[in-house]
Amino acid sequence: MAVLSTREQMEANESIPVNARAVLRIDLDALRANWRKVNEATGRAECAAVIKADAYGLGLEQICRALTEEGCRTFFTATIDEGRRLREVNPGAIIYILDGLLPGAAEYYSGFDLRPALSSLAEIREWAAYCRERDTKLAAAIHINTGMNRLGLPESEVMELVAHPELLQDFRLSLVMSHLACADVPEHPMNAAQRAEFERLTAMLPPAPRSLANSGGVFLGPDYHYDLVRPGIVLYGGRAHEKRPNPMRTVVRLSAKVLQVFEVPPGQTVGYNATYVIDKPTRVATIACGYADGFLRALSGPTGNPGPVGYIGPHPVRVIGRVSMDLITVDVSEVPPDQVYRGAWVEVMGDRVTLDDLTDRAGTIGYELLSRLGRRVHRIYEGAGS
Ligand SMILES: *Cc1c(COP(=O)(O)O)cnc(C)c1O
């Protein structure tokens, strides 16, 4: 099969409006395949999906629809507002709000059938009181702390629940969950320690479905799966475990248009602070994507060095100089001149330069890059259900 160059691919797609300067392609088939893979890996445990922060920047509504078609029934978001958006596209979903219960906000949850992940006795009491007032046993999760020390009932509060089971009698406890701090590092001793703590604490509580694993936890093995797993990043093509091959399919590709091409003679510099010095005649293309679009400023090469590689068709092109708010500059000296022109497309993230490659280089994680993809990047959803 003929491999299309980036140009041919982009130009074949007439759905890109002429005013689009940068394009994010989101492959919903790959997303669904990634969910299926996790679902298969977790056997009888239910596979939910974490779609907080606008589904890690990829579009909550579209991601939710595609995963629902694939069979996903339970979703986790961070905020009430995300939960309400989700409810609009998915009337039947089970939706948990990881923020827990915001004070005084219970009716915002019940009105949209959202389940808080209650993370303190104060939240539990407030939810229980609300349920008593309305005389309905609304569902909620409780989130217990097993060592992350971020959200969740501390052991002392779990013990209060054990001593006073009536605290749980006015609502329906639909899930007991905890979160792993180091699941991206499989050999980290905290994984087993948190799992043991989860076993110990949940054994004292009334029986309820249990959930411990995020993406990293899923791939720690069946001991971590319990009744429900909560993957996020792997669904979107990021890796679960640091420094391991990534078996997930690429979901996100980012390309930007060339705005200008020019020759820079030796001795001159490129970009802010003149960090990149030209040592031989160089053809430079300026492309329409910067840190306001989500191409992290930390991806600028260290002074004097080029940054990451992009691609024009099959040709690698290095990012040079600082990443600025709206623009990056690439060295296109090695690309046949007829392929670098005003309006040509440069792929800056995809199968060849992956999310993981870029974020390793920037000293951050895929979660940050994805969730900061700019609103002004034109989005194209590809694949079934798009
Ligand atoms: C974000 C989050 C997840 C998903 O984490 P990934 O590493 O993206 O799989 C699961 N559980 C909780 C509590 C989270 O905050």
Side-chain angles (χ1 to χ4, degrees):
M1 200 179 73
V3 177
L4 293 182
S5 69
T6 311
R7 173 183 184 173
E8 289 161 331
Q9 285 174 28
M10 303 295 275
E11 287 172 359
N13 191 329
E14 285 160 12
S15 64
I16 304 177
V18 290
N19 59 328
R21 64 195 293 274
V23 168
L24 190 71
R25 292 163 177 279
I26 298 162
D27 182 346
L28 297 176
D29 284 340
L31 170 87
R32 290 169 66 153
N34 288 342
W35 186 85
R36 260 195 326 269
K37 189 183 185 84
V38 177
N39 190 33
E40 279 157 19
T42 50
R44 50 159 288 283
E46 180 182 349
C47 185
V50 179
I51 55 163
K52 60 199 183 192
D54 200 27
Y56 292 42
L58 302 186
L60 183 141
E61 284 82 4
Q62 293 86 346
I63 297 296
C64 172
R65 274 196 209 100
L67 291 176
T68 301
E69 276 175 33
E70 198 56 47
C72 183
R73 295 186 313 280
T74 301
F75 295 86
F76 290 78
T77 72
T79 72
I80 300 172
D81 292 343
E82 288 170 344
R84 292 168 72 162
R85 278 172 57 195
L86 180 52
R87 179 56 73 214
E88 273 178 26
V89 294
N90 194 332
I94 293 171
I95 304 173
Y96 286 100
I97 307 297
L98 292 168
D99 272 352
L101 179 61
L102 297 187
E107 66 189 309
Y108 287 81
Y109 298 74
S110 68
F112 293 83
D113 193 13
L114 309 177
R115 303 181 180 182
L118 304 167
S119 59
S120 66
L121 273 183
E123 291 181 27
I124 289 173
R125 289 203 173 93
E126 191 173 326
W127 189 249
Y130 182 79
C131 290
R132 274 196 305 276
E133 263 166 43
R134 310 222 331 169
D135 203 18
T136 43
K137 282 192 158 197
L138 299 169
I142 62 174
H143 184 170
I144 62 178
N145 177 29
T146 52
M148 174 104 170
N149 293 311
R150 185 180 68 167
L151 281 179
L153 284 92
E155 180 180 356
S156 59
E157 295 197 351
V158 175
M159 290 311 170
E160 280 279 309
L161 284 185
V162 174
H164 300 281
E166 70 278 9
L167 286 165
L168 294 172
Q169 85 192 5
D170 292 322
F171 66 95
R172 186 161 73 79
L173 180 59
S174 55
L175 190 71
V176 179
M177 59 171 278
S178 189
H179 193 41
L180 297 167
C182 304
D184 53 338
V185 184
E187 59 280 5
H188 201 292
M190 254 187 85
N191 293 320
Q194 283 193 268
R195 186 179 167 275
E197 187 68 354
F198 190 60
E199 288 279 344
R200 187 176 74 81
L201 295 175
T202 54
M204 293 185 279
L205 290 169
R210 294 186 288 176
S211 174
L212 180 61
N214 65 337
S215 296
V218 164
F219 293 103
L220 293 177
D223 284 354
Y224 289 80
H225 296 165
Y226 293 98
D227 299 296
L228 178 145
V229 295
R230 310 185 307 270
I233 193 72
V234 290
L235 304 179
Y236 312 115
R239 66 181 166 210
H241 292 159
E242 279 189 4
K243 304 186 183 101
R244 302 288 158 96
N246 182 349
M248 310 314 290
R249 275 177 58 182
T250 300
V251 173
V252 182
R253 295 178 177 79
L254 179 62
S255 303
K257 251 178 204 169
V258 172
L259 299 179
Q260 191 178 353
V261 184
F262 49 97
E263 308 287 339
V264 185
Q268 297 215 357
T269 61
V270 177
Y272 281 124
N273 303 113
T275 55
Y276 191 78
V277 182
I278 297 292
D279 60 359
K280 57 178 188 298
T282 299
R283 203 149 23 96
V284 175
T286 302
I287 64 176
C289 176
Y291 57 77
D293 302 296
F295 197 84
L296 305 168
R297 187 170 178 278
L299 288 166
S300 309
T303 298
N305 295 319
V309 177
Y311 284 86
I312 296 181
H315 308 286
V317 292
R318 282 266 175 201
V319 175
I320 57 174
R322 289 264 159 88
V323 174
S324 50
M325 186 181 288
D326 312 305
L327 304 168
I328 50 185
T329 36
V330 292
D331 180 345
V332 295
S333 307
E334 305 297 320
V335 183
D338 67 327
Q339 294 188 35
V340 191
Y341 51 91
R342 194 176 134 247
W345 290 95
V346 179
E347 183 176 282
V348 294
M349 182 169 75
D351 295 295
R352 295 170 291 187
V353 193
T354 66
L355 176 65
D356 298 329
D357 295 338
L358 287 179
T359 52
D360 282 349
R361 178 180 265 276
T364 182
I365 51 177
Y367 306 72
E368 188 188 19
L369 192 151
L370 287 183
S371 64
R372 292 173 61 165
L373 288 168
R375 287 280 121 216
R376 68 185 184 181
V377 177
H378 182 74
R379 281 145 198 262
I380 296 177
Y381 292 89
E382 299 174 323
S386 57

